[in-house]
mmCIF file of all heavy atoms in Angstrom:
data_model
loop_
_atom_site.group_PDB
_atom_site.id
_atom_site.type_symbol
_atom_site.label_atom_id
_atom_site.label_comp_id
_atom_site.label_asym_id
_atom_site.label_seq_id
_atom_site.Cartn_x
_atom_site.Cartn_y
_atom_site.Cartn_z
ATOM 1 N N PHE Z 122 -32.269 -109.178 103.112
ATOM 2 C CA PHE Z 122 -30.788 -108.896 103.291
ATOM 3 C C PHE Z 122 -30.088 -109.941 102.457
ATOM 4 O O PHE Z 122 -30.163 -111.100 102.628
ATOM 5 C CB PHE Z 122 -30.385 -109.002 104.792
ATOM 6 C CG PHE Z 122 -28.837 -108.839 104.932
ATOM 7 C CD1 PHE Z 122 -28.357 -107.536 104.992
ATOM 8 C CD2 PHE Z 122 -28.079 -109.921 104.976
ATOM 9 C CE1 PHE Z 122 -26.960 -107.368 105.196
ATOM 10 C CE2 PHE Z 122 -26.674 -109.719 105.138
ATOM 11 C CZ PHE Z 122 -26.112 -108.484 105.234
ATOM 12 N N VAL Z 128 -19.659 -110.185 104.882
ATOM 13 C CA VAL Z 128 -20.437 -110.172 106.154
ATOM 14 C C VAL Z 128 -19.758 -110.852 107.260
ATOM 15 O O VAL Z 128 -19.894 -110.541 108.378
ATOM 16 C CB VAL Z 128 -21.833 -110.709 105.877
ATOM 17 C CG1 VAL Z 128 -22.662 -110.872 107.234
ATOM 18 C CG2 VAL Z 128 -22.652 -109.918 104.790
ATOM 19 N N GLU Z 131 -15.514 -109.792 109.471
ATOM 20 C CA GLU Z 131 -15.354 -109.242 110.805
ATOM 21 C C GLU Z 131 -15.322 -110.342 111.915
ATOM 22 O O GLU Z 131 -15.082 -110.043 113.067
ATOM 23 C CB GLU Z 131 -16.360 -108.184 111.091
ATOM 24 C CG GLU Z 131 -16.180 -106.974 110.136
ATOM 25 C CD GLU Z 131 -17.333 -106.020 110.208
ATOM 26 O OE1 GLU Z 131 -17.360 -105.168 111.120
ATOM 27 O OE2 GLU Z 131 -18.165 -106.087 109.299
ATOM 28 N N SER Z 132 -15.615 -111.530 111.544
ATOM 29 C CA SER Z 132 -15.597 -112.732 112.479
ATOM 30 C C SER Z 132 -14.212 -113.432 112.267
ATOM 31 O O SER Z 132 -14.024 -114.388 112.862
ATOM 32 C CB SER Z 132 -16.686 -113.751 112.174
ATOM 33 O OG SER Z 132 -17.968 -113.066 112.593
ATOM 34 N N GLN Z 183 -17.102 -116.809 115.515
ATOM 35 C CA GLN Z 183 -18.302 -116.404 116.207
ATOM 36 C C GLN Z 183 -19.069 -115.369 115.458
ATOM 37 O O GLN Z 183 -18.470 -114.592 114.738
ATOM 38 C CB GLN Z 183 -18.084 -116.012 117.605
ATOM 39 C CG GLN Z 183 -17.433 -117.106 118.475
ATOM 40 C CD GLN Z 183 -18.331 -118.273 118.613
ATOM 41 O OE1 GLN Z 183 -19.404 -118.216 119.017
ATOM 42 N NE2 GLN Z 183 -17.809 -119.484 118.300
ATOM 43 N N PRO Z 184 -20.364 -115.209 115.635
ATOM 44 C CA PRO Z 184 -21.178 -114.106 114.945
ATOM 45 C C PRO Z 184 -20.647 -112.695 115.299
ATOM 46 O O PRO Z 184 -20.200 -112.536 116.453
ATOM 47 C CB PRO Z 184 -22.570 -114.324 115.403
ATOM 48 C CG PRO Z 184 -22.675 -115.778 115.887
ATOM 49 C CD PRO Z 184 -21.271 -116.038 116.386
ATOM 50 N N ASN Z 185 -20.612 -111.852 114.338
ATOM 51 C CA ASN Z 185 -20.192 -110.496 114.555
ATOM 52 C C ASN Z 185 -21.378 -109.546 114.641
ATOM 53 O O ASN Z 185 -22.482 -110.029 114.666
ATOM 54 C CB ASN Z 185 -19.148 -110.027 113.547
ATOM 55 C CG ASN Z 185 -19.620 -110.024 112.146
ATOM 56 O OD1 ASN Z 185 -20.731 -109.433 111.891
ATOM 57 N ND2 ASN Z 185 -19.018 -110.627 111.281
ATOM 58 N N GLU Z 186 -21.138 -108.233 114.720
ATOM 59 C CA GLU Z 186 -22.171 -107.308 114.884
ATOM 60 C C GLU Z 186 -23.246 -107.352 113.741
ATOM 61 O O GLU Z 186 -24.398 -107.038 113.897
ATOM 62 C CB GLU Z 186 -21.623 -105.866 114.951
ATOM 63 C CG GLU Z 186 -20.855 -105.678 116.316
ATOM 64 C CD GLU Z 186 -21.700 -105.810 117.593
ATOM 65 O OE1 GLU Z 186 -22.892 -105.678 117.540
ATOM 66 O OE2 GLU Z 186 -21.120 -106.232 118.650
ATOM 67 N N ALA Z 187 -22.781 -107.667 112.520
ATOM 68 C CA ALA Z 187 -23.698 -107.776 111.447
ATOM 69 C C ALA Z 187 -24.727 -108.867 111.655
ATOM 70 O O ALA Z 187 -25.924 -108.675 111.477
ATOM 71 C CB ALA Z 187 -22.958 -108.069 110.122
ATOM 72 N N HIS Z 188 -24.228 -110.112 111.963
ATOM 73 C CA HIS Z 188 -25.094 -111.223 112.282
ATOM 74 C C HIS Z 188 -26.013 -110.854 113.450
ATOM 75 O O HIS Z 188 -27.266 -111.179 113.410
ATOM 76 C CB HIS Z 188 -24.332 -112.490 112.585
ATOM 77 C CG HIS Z 188 -23.340 -112.832 111.596
ATOM 78 N ND1 HIS Z 188 -21.998 -112.645 111.690
ATOM 79 C CD2 HIS Z 188 -23.445 -113.420 110.365
ATOM 80 C CE1 HIS Z 188 -21.384 -113.092 110.708
ATOM 81 N NE2 HIS Z 188 -22.163 -113.506 109.864
ATOM 82 N N LYS Z 189 -25.531 -110.278 114.494
ATOM 83 C CA LYS Z 189 -26.242 -109.939 115.702
ATOM 84 C C LYS Z 189 -27.375 -108.942 115.352
ATOM 85 O O LYS Z 189 -28.532 -109.136 115.920
ATOM 86 C CB LYS Z 189 -25.372 -109.474 116.798
ATOM 87 C CG LYS Z 189 -24.405 -110.539 117.291
ATOM 88 C CD LYS Z 189 -23.398 -109.898 118.341
ATOM 89 C CE LYS Z 189 -22.426 -110.943 118.775
ATOM 90 N NZ LYS Z 189 -21.379 -110.371 119.681
ATOM 91 N N TYR Z 190 -27.108 -107.935 114.653
ATOM 92 C CA TYR Z 190 -28.120 -106.890 114.269
ATOM 93 C C TYR Z 190 -29.233 -107.528 113.546
ATOM 94 O O TYR Z 190 -30.388 -107.280 113.762
ATOM 95 C CB TYR Z 190 -27.518 -105.739 113.600
ATOM 96 C CG TYR Z 190 -28.570 -104.818 113.090
ATOM 97 C CD1 TYR Z 190 -29.181 -103.947 114.011
ATOM 98 C CD2 TYR Z 190 -28.979 -104.784 111.876
ATOM 99 C CE1 TYR Z 190 -30.276 -103.084 113.689
ATOM 100 C CE2 TYR Z 190 -30.034 -103.934 111.363
ATOM 101 C CZ TYR Z 190 -30.675 -103.091 112.385
ATOM 102 O OH TYR Z 190 -31.693 -102.264 111.914
ATOM 103 N N LEU Z 191 -28.884 -108.374 112.607
ATOM 104 C CA LEU Z 191 -29.938 -108.950 111.715
ATOM 105 C C LEU Z 191 -30.844 -109.845 112.557
ATOM 106 O O LEU Z 191 -32.087 -109.945 112.310
ATOM 107 C CB LEU Z 191 -29.373 -109.694 110.547
ATOM 108 C CG LEU Z 191 -28.649 -108.869 109.499
ATOM 109 C CD1 LEU Z 191 -27.822 -109.702 108.594
ATOM 110 C CD2 LEU Z 191 -29.728 -108.114 108.745
ATOM 111 N N ALA Z 192 -30.303 -110.575 113.518
ATOM 112 C CA ALA Z 192 -31.098 -111.394 114.465
ATOM 113 C C ALA Z 192 -32.059 -110.511 115.258
ATOM 114 O O ALA Z 192 -33.245 -110.885 115.501
ATOM 115 C CB ALA Z 192 -30.244 -112.307 115.260
ATOM 116 N N TYR Z 193 -31.522 -109.421 115.716
ATOM 117 C CA TYR Z 193 -32.286 -108.397 116.397
ATOM 118 C C TYR Z 193 -33.386 -107.801 115.569
ATOM 119 O O TYR Z 193 -34.607 -107.749 116.007
ATOM 120 C CB TYR Z 193 -31.357 -107.305 116.937
ATOM 121 C CG TYR Z 193 -32.085 -106.064 117.380
ATOM 122 C CD1 TYR Z 193 -32.600 -105.897 118.675
ATOM 123 C CD2 TYR Z 193 -32.173 -104.958 116.537
ATOM 124 C CE1 TYR Z 193 -33.280 -104.744 119.128
ATOM 125 C CE2 TYR Z 193 -32.828 -103.759 116.965
ATOM 126 C CZ TYR Z 193 -33.307 -103.695 118.201
ATOM 127 O OH TYR Z 193 -33.941 -102.550 118.540
ATOM 128 N N LEU Z 194 -33.046 -107.480 114.360
ATOM 129 C CA LEU Z 194 -34.119 -106.848 113.485
ATOM 130 C C LEU Z 194 -35.191 -107.792 113.149
ATOM 131 O O LEU Z 194 -36.360 -107.354 112.935
ATOM 132 C CB LEU Z 194 -33.394 -106.493 112.116
ATOM 133 C CG LEU Z 194 -34.266 -105.660 111.111
ATOM 134 C CD1 LEU Z 194 -34.724 -104.383 111.754
ATOM 135 C CD2 LEU Z 194 -33.469 -105.416 109.865
ATOM 136 N N GLU Z 195 -34.872 -109.127 113.009
ATOM 137 C CA GLU Z 195 -35.883 -110.117 112.700
ATOM 138 C C GLU Z 195 -37.021 -110.306 113.739
ATOM 139 O O GLU Z 195 -38.137 -110.613 113.457
ATOM 140 C CB GLU Z 195 -35.232 -111.477 112.526
ATOM 141 C CG GLU Z 195 -36.055 -112.539 111.933
ATOM 142 C CD GLU Z 195 -35.409 -113.892 111.946
ATOM 143 O OE1 GLU Z 195 -35.110 -114.501 113.052
ATOM 144 O OE2 GLU Z 195 -35.110 -114.358 110.810
ATOM 145 N N LYS Z 196 -36.713 -109.784 114.883
ATOM 146 C CA LYS Z 196 -37.722 -109.792 115.945
ATOM 147 C C LYS Z 196 -38.848 -108.819 115.784
ATOM 148 O O LYS Z 196 -39.915 -108.925 116.246
ATOM 149 C CB LYS Z 196 -37.177 -109.533 117.364
ATOM 150 C CG LYS Z 196 -36.108 -110.653 117.712
ATOM 151 C CD LYS Z 196 -35.393 -110.355 119.106
ATOM 152 C CE LYS Z 196 -34.419 -111.425 119.415
ATOM 153 N NZ LYS Z 196 -33.685 -111.132 120.692
ATOM 154 N N LEU Z 200 -38.223 -110.079 107.828
ATOM 155 C CA LEU Z 200 -36.909 -110.096 107.288
ATOM 156 C C LEU Z 200 -36.469 -111.534 106.871
ATOM 157 O O LEU Z 200 -36.672 -112.452 107.535
ATOM 158 C CB LEU Z 200 -35.887 -109.671 108.341
ATOM 159 C CG LEU Z 200 -34.386 -109.783 108.011
ATOM 160 C CD1 LEU Z 200 -33.950 -108.881 106.861
ATOM 161 C CD2 LEU Z 200 -33.498 -109.555 109.298
ATOM 162 N N ILE Z 202 -33.056 -113.406 105.225
ATOM 163 C CA ILE Z 202 -31.624 -113.318 104.989
ATOM 164 C C ILE Z 202 -31.297 -114.379 103.884
ATOM 165 O O ILE Z 202 -31.631 -115.491 104.006
ATOM 166 C CB ILE Z 202 -30.863 -113.586 106.297
ATOM 167 C CG1 ILE Z 202 -31.123 -112.526 107.415
ATOM 168 C CG2 ILE Z 202 -29.334 -113.691 105.904
ATOM 169 C CD1 ILE Z 202 -30.555 -112.928 108.635
ATOM 170 N N LEU Z 210 -23.296 -118.653 110.566
ATOM 171 C CA LEU Z 210 -23.193 -117.717 111.669
ATOM 172 C C LEU Z 210 -24.513 -116.935 111.815
ATOM 173 O O LEU Z 210 -24.755 -116.415 112.924
ATOM 174 C CB LEU Z 210 -21.999 -116.672 111.356
ATOM 175 C CG LEU Z 210 -20.649 -117.318 111.568
ATOM 176 C CD1 LEU Z 210 -19.557 -116.268 111.227
ATOM 177 C CD2 LEU Z 210 -20.460 -117.990 112.851
ATOM 178 N N HIS Z 211 -25.303 -116.844 110.812
ATOM 179 C CA HIS Z 211 -26.581 -116.138 110.961
ATOM 180 C C HIS Z 211 -27.436 -116.921 111.915
ATOM 181 O O HIS Z 211 -28.030 -116.327 112.892
ATOM 182 C CB HIS Z 211 -27.296 -115.994 109.640
ATOM 183 C CG HIS Z 211 -26.728 -114.891 108.697
ATOM 184 N ND1 HIS Z 211 -26.767 -113.560 109.050
ATOM 185 C CD2 HIS Z 211 -26.059 -114.981 107.519
ATOM 186 C CE1 HIS Z 211 -26.230 -112.882 108.091
ATOM 187 N NE2 HIS Z 211 -25.789 -113.745 107.164
ATOM 188 N N GLN Z 212 -27.487 -118.218 111.845
ATOM 189 C CA GLN Z 212 -28.323 -119.105 112.639
ATOM 190 C C GLN Z 212 -27.685 -119.041 114.076
ATOM 191 O O GLN Z 212 -28.430 -119.018 115.073
ATOM 192 C CB GLN Z 212 -28.365 -120.492 112.113
ATOM 193 C CG GLN Z 212 -29.219 -120.646 110.917
ATOM 194 C CD GLN Z 212 -28.425 -120.471 109.608
ATOM 195 O OE1 GLN Z 212 -27.380 -119.848 109.609
ATOM 196 N NE2 GLN Z 212 -28.795 -121.166 108.592
ATOM 197 N N GLU Z 213 -26.387 -119.076 114.178
ATOM 198 C CA GLU Z 213 -25.739 -119.024 115.491
ATOM 199 C C GLU Z 213 -26.117 -117.683 116.261
ATOM 200 O O GLU Z 213 -26.198 -117.658 117.460
ATOM 201 C CB GLU Z 213 -24.223 -119.191 115.391
ATOM 202 C CG GLU Z 213 -23.864 -120.627 115.089
ATOM 203 C CD GLU Z 213 -22.350 -120.825 115.205
ATOM 204 O OE1 GLU Z 213 -21.774 -120.182 116.054
ATOM 205 O OE2 GLU Z 213 -21.743 -121.598 114.470
ATOM 206 N N ALA Z 214 -26.318 -116.586 115.517
ATOM 207 C CA ALA Z 214 -26.613 -115.366 116.092
ATOM 208 C C ALA Z 214 -28.089 -115.303 116.476
ATOM 209 O O ALA Z 214 -28.509 -114.454 117.219
ATOM 210 C CB ALA Z 214 -26.349 -114.226 115.140
ATOM 211 N N GLY Z 215 -28.880 -116.207 115.941
ATOM 212 C CA GLY Z 215 -30.329 -116.207 116.419
ATOM 213 C C GLY Z 215 -31.335 -116.084 115.276
ATOM 214 O O GLY Z 215 -32.555 -116.146 115.477
ATOM 215 N N SER Z 216 -30.802 -115.762 114.045
ATOM 216 C CA SER Z 216 -31.778 -115.618 112.950
ATOM 217 C C SER Z 216 -32.413 -116.950 112.533
ATOM 218 O O SER Z 216 -31.791 -117.945 112.595
ATOM 219 C CB SER Z 216 -30.960 -115.057 111.653
ATOM 220 O OG SER Z 216 -30.598 -113.797 111.933
ATOM 221 N N VAL Z 334 -19.692 -103.998 107.263
ATOM 222 C CA VAL Z 334 -21.122 -104.235 107.512
ATOM 223 C C VAL Z 334 -21.416 -104.196 109.057
ATOM 224 O O VAL Z 334 -22.364 -103.485 109.484
ATOM 225 C CB VAL Z 334 -21.612 -105.533 106.981
ATOM 226 C CG1 VAL Z 334 -23.117 -105.659 107.060
ATOM 227 C CG2 VAL Z 334 -21.258 -105.664 105.485
ATOM 228 N N GLY Z 335 -20.647 -104.866 109.815
ATOM 229 C CA GLY Z 335 -20.819 -104.974 111.223
ATOM 230 C C GLY Z 335 -20.728 -103.598 111.922
ATOM 231 O O GLY Z 335 -21.450 -103.277 112.762
ATOM 232 N N PHE Z 338 -23.874 -101.671 110.997
ATOM 233 C CA PHE Z 338 -25.107 -102.183 111.656
ATOM 234 C C PHE Z 338 -25.100 -101.866 113.186
ATOM 235 O O PHE Z 338 -26.132 -101.762 113.775
ATOM 236 C CB PHE Z 338 -25.230 -103.648 111.433
ATOM 237 C CG PHE Z 338 -25.809 -104.046 110.071
ATOM 238 C CD1 PHE Z 338 -26.166 -102.972 109.217
ATOM 239 C CD2 PHE Z 338 -26.099 -105.327 109.696
ATOM 240 C CE1 PHE Z 338 -26.780 -103.184 107.974
ATOM 241 C CE2 PHE Z 338 -26.660 -105.605 108.497
ATOM 242 C CZ PHE Z 338 -26.955 -104.533 107.517
ATOM 243 N N LYS Z 339 -23.914 -101.873 113.830
ATOM 244 C CA LYS Z 339 -23.835 -101.568 115.264
ATOM 245 C C LYS Z 339 -24.393 -100.204 115.549
ATOM 246 O O LYS Z 339 -24.745 -100.026 116.668
ATOM 247 C CB LYS Z 339 -22.290 -101.679 115.634
ATOM 248 C CG LYS Z 339 -22.150 -101.662 117.098
ATOM 249 C CD LYS Z 339 -20.573 -101.837 117.498
ATOM 250 C CE LYS Z 339 -20.431 -101.889 118.999
ATOM 251 N NZ LYS Z 339 -18.992 -102.085 119.353
ATOM 252 N N TYR Z 342 -28.966 -99.546 116.167
ATOM 253 C CA TYR Z 342 -29.879 -99.816 117.296
ATOM 254 C C TYR Z 342 -30.520 -98.548 117.885
ATOM 255 O O TYR Z 342 -29.987 -97.525 117.770
ATOM 256 C CB TYR Z 342 -29.088 -100.494 118.418
ATOM 257 C CG TYR Z 342 -28.589 -101.921 118.118
ATOM 258 C CD1 TYR Z 342 -27.268 -102.111 117.561
ATOM 259 C CD2 TYR Z 342 -29.409 -103.042 118.314
ATOM 260 C CE1 TYR Z 342 -26.850 -103.400 117.311
ATOM 261 C CE2 TYR Z 342 -28.917 -104.313 117.986
ATOM 262 C CZ TYR Z 342 -27.664 -104.517 117.501
ATOM 263 O OH TYR Z 342 -27.254 -105.827 117.244
#
Side-chain angles (χ1 to χ4, degrees):
F122 176 86
V128 177
E131 290 168 87
S132 292
Q183 297 299 307
N185 63 51
E186 294 298 334
H188 305 104
K189 293 174 184 177
Y190 172 76
L191 290 168
Y193 164 82
L194 185 63
E195 189 182 68
K196 296 176 181 178
L200 170 66
I202 296 170
L210 293 182
H211 285 295
Q212 291 91 331
E213 285 191 31
S216 292
V334 187
F338 278 3
K339 191 176 181 178
Y342 290 95

